[in-house]
Amino acid sequence: SVLPAAARSFIEVNFPGEKISYATMDDDLFRPDYQVVLANGFKVTFDNSGRLEQVECHGKAIPSGIVPVQIAEYVKGHYPDAVITDYEVGRKTYEVKLSNRMELKFNSGFNIIEIDD
């Protein structure tokens, strides 16, 4: 109940039926963050308004619909045997980690700007 409404809604939509093991609030005076660990072990981080910051699935595929379509299509086209296991939203960038240990960074226009293996 301490989570912002946007964060609760995100979890309900993208992880339907999944129980929250625990949620913590980073006690930053100006901008607290919320970390939620689900019963399946996935970790989801939100900013103080409930905006998604990061999803970590520890080697399992992130549920479809979380990652923007343009990024999902890029990954599917260039790395068809890999799945997205971690997703991070920055101020002007998006970063994904793949099951093949590749890390890809995209700009706000969803253009690839960095590849790290």
Side-chain angles (χ1 to χ4, degrees):
S1 65
V2 299
L3 291 174
R8 287 193 311 266
S9 176
F10 179 89
I11 292 170
E12 290 169 6
V13 168
N14 293 288
F15 300 96
E18 194 64 46
K19 301 282 186 203
I20 294 176
S21 290
Y22 64 91
T24 60
M25 182 177 79
D26 177 17
D27 198 14
D28 183 335
L29 182 63
F30 298 105
R31 294 184 177 253
D33 288 345
Y34 298 90
Q35 291 189 352
V36 177
V37 175
L38 303 175
N40 62 7
F42 292 5
K43 186 168 97 175
V44 187
T45 306
F46 301 95
D47 70 7
N48 62 324
S49 67
R51 182 178 79 65
L52 177 68
E53 289 184 336
Q54 186 172 18
V55 178
E56 298 176 69
C57 293
H58 307 292
K60 297 179 184 175
I62 286 182
S64 63
I66 293 177
V67 177
V69 172
Q70 300 92 325
I71 294 174
E73 288 177 354
Y74 180 91
V75 169
K76 186 176 180 179
H78 290 84
Y79 304 97
D81 296 331
V83 296
I84 298 171
T85 60
D86 291 8
Y87 173 59
E88 186 172 347
V89 180
R91 288 188 175 186
K92 295 184 179 183
T93 61
Y94 303 90
E95 187 171 333
V96 295
K97 293 180 184 176
L98 308 180
S99 56
N100 64 2
R101 299 179 10 182
M102 298 289 293
E103 296 181 19
L104 311 174
K105 186 180 273 189
F106 297 83
N107 64 17
S108 59
F110 305 110
N111 298 306
I112 189 84
I113 57 173
E114 188 176 316
I115 299 173
D116 188 12
D117 58 352

